[in-house]
Amino acid sequence: MKTRLGTKALTLSIALTTLTGCSMTDANESDDLPFAGISTSLAAADEAEKISSEIFDLIGIKAKGSDTGPGVSECSGKDPDKYFQIFHPWSFTPASPAQLDGVMGRLKEELPKHGWKVVEYGPDTSKNKNINLTADNEKKKHSVNITYYAKRNPQKLGLMVVSGCYQVPNGEKVNRF
């Protein structure tokens, strides 16, 4: 599951110009994504924003978070009128670049204390060797990918929170935004 969700999240992240994912299983899930439960798109988006807010708090630095809202995508191989996935890309820009010193190491230590399992950590393959951290939360059926852009001006963190695959309640359709 880790690679499949990661490829989808990374594709979303690139497409939005801004993960790997969950190892969770459920009898109702496809082979691609864990089953996240039954929910409306709006309620699932609210949950993704709540998770993003919790991660913002774990970063532990006063900073400005971007005002990017969540989006809805299809669950591969599932009926797009009944199944969906939420993605929430956002960025984190501190007042001073020095505030980001050591933040990725702290997140690597702190996220597991809050139910996250770090599944990937280290430099990416870009010229800048940005530091990436990917973590899964099996209970919440979400993954997060955090990238530290140390060589950008301004320095910042790019985050992508991605859910498992939700099913809308009977009689409803997926609301896309």
Side-chain angles (χ1 to χ4, degrees), residues 26-121:
D26 187 287
N28 295 327
E29 77 174 271
S30 72
D31 289 335
D32 295 332
L33 296 171
F35 181 68
I38 296 174
S39 178
T40 64
S41 311
L42 293 173
D46 287 347
E47 179 65 16
E49 284 185 313
K50 179 181 169 196
I51 290 169
S52 289
S53 180
E54 291 169 1
I55 293 168
F56 184 98
D57 292 344
L58 282 177
I59 293 171
I61 299 170
K62 289 187 178 187
K64 181 179 180 182
S66 64
D67 195 19
T68 310
V72 178
S73 65
E74 295 180 4
C75 295
S76 179
K78 295 261 188 188
D79 181 347
D81 291 330
K82 293 181 181 181
Y83 297 91
F84 66 96
Q85 178 182 20
I86 298 292
F87 61 94
H88 186 213
W90 57 284
S91 62
F92 180 95
T93 308
S96 163
Q99 291 177 296
L100 290 177
D101 290 346
V103 73
M104 295 299 279
R106 283 194 314 274
L107 284 169
K108 184 179 176 190
E109 297 290 321
E110 285 300 312
L111 284 166
K113 296 175 186 175
H114 297 273
W116 295 88
K117 178 182 177 186
V118 175
V119 295
E120 190 172 359
Y121 181 82

